[in-house]
Amino acid sequence: EADIYQTPRYLVIGTGKKITLECSQTMGHDKMYWYQQDPGMELHLIHYSYGVNSTEKGDLSSESTVSRIRTEHFPLTLESARPSHTSQYLCASSEKVSDTQYFGPGTRLTVL
Amino acid sequence: KNEVEQSPQNLTAQEGEFITINCSYSVGISALHWLQQHPGGGIVSLFMLSSGKKKHGRLIATINIQEKHSSLHITASHPRDSAVYICAVKNNYGQNFVFGPGTRLSVLP
């Protein structure tokens, strides 16, 4: 079982609020990823990091930002939540040499 | 055309049936990843393939690089196999995976 954690699991919040979704892994993986998934749809990469102080935007444009100050921690922040941000957000990590991705349980975000 | 396509989109089977899920892609790839997503949303990795065939328990994954096609087979299916099965590919010039739309499998007792 993968040691990758996400909090909160569920979040309902009002428009305009600032939120941070937490993701932590204890496997020492260099690579970490954030995906967005709408119900019944495919995963889309929104951010990734190949190591500390390295972050890149993914294929899907997102108003969120990320940081990677520590290897094990990759938080995602929305400065001003909107209803269009309602979705599931999945965090994943992988080793530098292996492409196998280990996923967290996800955060289901609802913005009212 | 999407870079990764899967068929069927939905599949219902009776317990014990042999199941095949297909994945086709349009570009040259360096790796293909099969994943399983349970109704609660959690995703687990099943196989990582770059050639040939891999087997783990009742699951078998094959890939044909020339035909740009991979299959995931489940033998002696069980209701606990009910999930969405996702194919993802890393193309030769990319650094990250592109995900297919998934195949929703329901195995009835």
Side-chain angles (χ1 to χ4, degrees), chain A residues 3 17 19 24-26 29 31 33 42 74 87 90 93:
Chain A
D3 295 322
K17 300 290 186 185
I19 59 169
S24 295
Q25 49 96 6
T26 58
H29 288 169
K31 297 181 182 179
Y33 312 83
E42 59 263 43
F74 191 39
S87 190
L90 289 146
S93 71

Side-chain angles (χ1 to χ4, degrees), chain A:
Chain A
E1 192 163 311
D3 295 322
I4 180 163
Y5 310 98
Q6 289 185 244
T7 58
R9 293 291 311 278
Y10 302 91
L11 180 61
V12 181
I13 202 161
T15 296
K17 300 290 186 185
K18 177 179 178 179
I19 59 169
T20 296
L21 307 185
E22 302 288 349
C23 176
S24 295
Q25 49 96 6
T26 58
M27 298 172 282
H29 288 169
D30 290 307
K31 297 181 182 179
M32 295 189 74
Y33 312 83
W34 275 104
Y35 294 95
Q36 185 174 339
Q37 185 183 34
D38 292 329
M41 303 298 288
E42 59 263 43
L43 283 80
H44 289 285
L45 181 67
I46 52 175
H47 297 283
Y48 62 98
S49 167
Y50 284 174
V52 170
N53 294 326
S54 151
T55 62
E56 302 285 347
K57 288 190 178 292
D59 305 321
L60 182 68
S61 175
S62 174
E63 293 164 349
S64 57
T65 59
V66 292
S67 62
R68 189 90 183 274
I69 299 171
R70 301 198 317 264
T71 298
E72 61 271 21
H73 196 214
F74 191 39
L76 180 145
T77 298
L78 274 166
E79 290 293 332
S80 180
R82 295 208 302 265
S84 61
H85 298 138
T86 295
S87 190
Q88 175 162 250
Y89 293 84
L90 289 146
C91 180
S93 71
S94 65
E95 296 173 325
K96 190 173 275 188
V97 293
S98 165
D99 285 326
T100 300
Q101 299 206 350
Y102 298 89
F103 282 82
T107 294
R108 200 170 291 277
L109 172 66
T110 301
V111 183
L112 303 175

Side-chain angles (χ1 to χ4, degrees), chain B residues 8 10 21-22 27 29 38 54 61 65 70 73 76 91 108:
Chain B
N10 296 284
I21 298 169
N22 298 296
V27 297
I29 67 166
H38 277 283
K54 287 191 176 179
I65 298 293
S70 175
H73 305 286
N91 59 45
L108 305 177

